[in-house]
Amino acid sequence: MNITPYLSTLQDSPLFQGLSAQEIASMVNCMSATVKEYDKNQYIHRMGNRISSIGLVLFGNVHIVKEDFWGNRSIMAHIGPCELFGEAYALTGTPLEVSVIAMEPVRVMFFNSGKIAQTCPTSCAFHTALIRNLLKIITGKTLMLTQKIEHLSKRSTREKLLSYLSSQALRSGNPNFEIPFNRTQLAEYLAIDRSAMTTELGRMRDEGLLDFDKGRFELKQTI
Amino acid sequence: MNITPYLSTLQDSPLFQGLSAQEIASMVNCMSATVKEYDKNQYIHRMGNRISSIGLVLFGNVHIVKEDFWGNRSIMAHIGPCELFGEAYALTGTPLEVSVIAMEPVRVMFFNSGKIAQTCPTSCAFHTALIRNLLKIITGKTLMLTQKIEHLSKRSTREKLLSYLSSQALRSGNPNFEIPFNRTQLAEYLAIDRSAMTTELGRMRDEGLLDFDKGRFELKQTI
DNA sequence: TCCCGTCTGTTGTTTTTACAACATTTGGAG
DNA sequence: CTCCAAATGTTGTAAAAACAACAGACGGGA
């Protein structure tokens, strides 16, 4: 496969951190990578299935979503360009507890997880680096999930919002920042009622805690 | 160090899965492992600190706990014998977002995380296996956290309880099972009010959904 | 054995959230 | 530009949870 058009994305991906373009190209081959495209709202993976490949978002955004029988939806995570999804399920062979949905037109590169995890017969020298990168990525995800649990553990709508928003401000290093969710999605991510959330946001703005416009928020100093 | 007394525990640990006693002994040495003991309620790690070692519980139980300024406590995870804690923070160098507390008299073996993650100069042959095991462990934790998020995402006390209890029943392969928490701890784990939880449990028992005694629960068929 | 601290369960009140129904705004497509 | 659909905001009501305060059960140590 010709990976030239994706090379810069792949190089930016934490999966290939520290590897040269040359090395990446050889690895992509070795791991029998494939590229697929998806439309907005299309399912990339469905809950319950088993998967054997790790996805890397080349462009677009996808959501990791948990949906129950009654259509209640909860967004587990937001995955953007250069980021991976499905590693945990592909590596363990566990049936998916979540679905993966394209939020917009998306292009994804898939890697066979078996070929990543095992040193290949031809003893491709960079597998070790790859596995180490993978370790780092999954470790990072653990921390993300821990943070999400922290938000969800708050008792009230307001506390959940503040927990999430301040973590985003911290991440961006700026009290003025943009979030990757619209209102409905944010409510699904924080597992709270959308209308109650909107009301609470308005109340917080009235109290001078923060300001917002669409997806842009600004936390105010409350000294 | 003489690891003989801990050998069976280490062999049962997923970290050393697939390694012989001989190999484990040499690795323990190579990773400059140390053993420490803690009393009930003693802090093993405190939130905010950086750690450079991965803990393996030799016996006893510890809780991964998130405490905020006002003393609100939320139990992130329960760690029993043979299990690891702190990997994510030790490997990334991130300051701890949680504390680790001994729930009873506990003995822990600590491994230097740097020495685990890097192939050692003397090229200890089993590091690769170790890293692969670590990858599996952390991947498994990701799935655990995902499950916890699923519980927390439920809207009501009852739904959270059912989500947690049925996952425990599934894990034990038996509708009759024991949980590692007392009532207060369960409430902290599920981020709900203890008294409301007790009330709800009573209500569910009245409705014939389940039965319980202390830490033992039984989910009934509701056909 | 008794005492005390902890755990568990109970109840009533207050506060908050979920829910439903609808109004308003926004952004695209034609 | 107009229309439509989706997103966002508003409000009132019903339901649920949080909170507080206390009673009873239990277990370990003196």
Side-chain angles (χ1 to χ4, degrees):
Chain A
M1 180 177 48
N2 175 22
I3 64 159
T4 316
Y6 314 128
L7 195 55
S8 74
T9 305
L10 294 177
Q11 283 185 304
D12 284 348
S13 159
L15 182 61
F16 294 110
Q17 215 50 237
L19 296 180
S20 72
Q22 194 65 273
E23 293 164 348
I24 293 175
S26 94
M27 299 230 58
V28 167
N29 253 324
C30 165
M31 293 188 293
S32 43
T34 60
V35 171
K36 281 193 193 163
E37 303 201 346
Y38 297 89
D39 298 328
K40 177 171 178 172
N41 293 327
Q42 194 178 349
Y43 278 72
I44 300 174
H45 291 314
R46 278 191 189 272
M47 184 168 72
N49 292 344
R50 286 175 202 272
I51 60 177
S52 56
S53 62
I54 297 178
L56 190 159
V57 177
L58 294 172
F59 66 72
N61 290 289
V62 310
H63 281 178
I64 313 297
V65 170
K66 172 91 197 173
E67 292 171 306
D68 72 14
F69 185 73
W70 296 271
N72 299 320
R73 161 181 294 212
S74 152
I75 298 178
M76 298 290 304
H78 170 271
I79 307 287
C82 304
E83 296 187 306
L84 298 189
F85 62 85
E87 341 77 44
Y89 298 98
L91 287 170
T92 60
T94 315
L96 283 164
E97 296 163 316
V98 296
S99 295
V100 182
I101 306 176
M103 285 297 102
E104 56 200 36
V106 157
R107 182 172 288 163
V108 177
M109 184 174 282
F110 289 102
F111 304 100
N112 184 299
S113 66
K115 296 202 177 166
I116 290 190
Q118 292 150 32
T119 315
C120 55
T122 62
S123 187
C124 171
F126 311 108
H127 262 142
T128 308
L130 209 67
I131 290 180
R132 202 159 279 146
N133 282 342
L134 206 51
L135 186 61
K136 204 179 290 180
I137 291 169
I138 299 190
T139 304
K141 290 222 177 172
T142 301
L143 298 181
M144 301 266 301
L145 292 176
T146 300
Q147 276 208 331
K148 166 151 189 178
I149 288 178
E150 191 179 332
H151 307 145
L152 293 183
S153 296
K154 303 291 181 187
R155 318 299 178 60
S156 67
T157 298
R158 171 175 295 212
E159 279 184 304
K160 285 176 187 168
L161 280 167
L162 285 176
S163 177
Y164 171 72
L165 293 174
S166 54
S167 80
Q168 290 299 301
L170 222 59
R171 163 185 309 281
S172 78
N174 192 322
N176 188 306
F177 56 93
E178 196 136 358
I179 65 173
F181 299 128
N182 65 29
R183 294 288 180 276
T184 305
Q185 292 166 346
L186 180 56
E188 286 171 355
Y189 182 77
L190 294 178
I192 53 184
D193 183 71
R194 183 195 58 79
S195 69
M197 185 186 80
T198 298
T199 306
E200 192 62 43
L201 280 174
R203 204 156 22 216
M204 288 158 83
R205 169 155 61 185
D206 292 345
E207 294 178 22
L209 283 178
L210 48 74
D211 206 351
F212 55 88
D213 179 45
K214 303 274 175 59
R216 177 156 293 281
F217 287 77
E218 178 171 3
L219 296 184
K220 310 273 185 144
Q221 293 293 355
T222 50
I223 311 192
Chain B
M1 181 175 48
N2 174 24
I3 64 159
T4 316
Y6 314 128
L7 195 55
S8 74
T9 305
L10 294 178
Q11 283 186 305
D12 284 347
S13 159
L15 181 60
F16 294 110
Q17 215 49 237
L19 296 181
S20 72
Q22 194 63 274
E23 292 164 349
I24 293 175
S26 94
M27 299 231 57
V28 168
N29 251 327
C30 165
M31 293 188 292
S32 42
T34 59
V35 172
K36 280 193 194 163
E37 303 202 345
Y38 298 88
D39 297 328
K40 177 171 179 174
N41 292 327
Q42 194 178 350
Y43 278 72
I44 300 174
H45 291 315
R46 277 189 190 273
M47 184 169 72
N49 293 343
R50 286 175 202 272
I51 60 176
S52 56
S53 61
I54 297 178
L56 189 160
V57 176
L58 294 173
F59 66 72
N61 290 288
V62 310
H63 281 179
I64 313 297
V65 170
K66 172 90 196 173
E67 292 172 307
D68 73 12
F69 185 73
W70 297 271
N72 299 319
R73 160 181 294 212
S74 151
I75 298 177
M76 299 289 304
H78 169 272
I79 308 288
C82 304
E83 296 186 306
L84 298 190
F85 62 86
E87 340 77 45
Y89 297 98
L91 286 170
T92 60
T94 315
L96 283 164
E97 296 163 315
V98 296
S99 295
V100 182
I101 306 177
M103 284 298 102
E104 56 198 34
V106 157
R107 181 172 289 165
V108 177
M109 184 175 283
F110 290 100
F111 304 100
N112 184 299
S113 66
K115 297 202 177 167
I116 290 190
Q118 292 149 33
T119 315
C120 55
T122 62
S123 186
C124 171
F126 311 108
H127 262 141
T128 309
L130 208 67
I131 290 180
R132 201 159 280 144
N133 282 342
L134 206 51
L135 186 60
K136 202 179 292 181
I137 291 170
I138 298 190
T139 303
K141 290 220 177 175
T142 301
L143 298 181
M144 300 265 302
L145 293 176
T146 300
Q147 275 207 331
K148 167 154 187 175
I149 288 178
E150 191 178 332
H151 307 145
L152 293 184
S153 296
K154 303 292 182 185
R155 319 299 178 60
S156 67
T157 298
R158 171 175 296 212
E159 278 183 306
K160 285 176 186 168
L161 279 167
L162 284 177
S163 177
Y164 171 72
L165 292 175
S166 55
S167 81
Q168 290 299 302
L170 221 59
R171 162 185 310 279
S172 79
N174 192 322
N176 188 306
F177 56 94
E178 196 137 359
I179 66 173
F181 298 127
N182 65 30
R183 294 289 179 277
T184 305
Q185 292 167 346
L186 180 57
E188 286 172 355
Y189 182 77
L190 295 178
I192 54 184
D193 184 71
R194 183 195 59 77
S195 70
M197 185 187 81
T198 297
T199 305
E200 191 62 44
L201 279 173
R203 208 158 17 219
M204 288 158 82
R205 170 154 61 185
D206 292 345
E207 294 178 22
L209 283 178
L210 48 74
D211 206 350
F212 55 88
D213 179 46
K214 303 274 176 62
R216 178 156 291 283
F217 286 78
E218 178 170 4
L219 295 184
K220 309 274 186 145
Q221 294 292 354
T222 50
I223 311 190

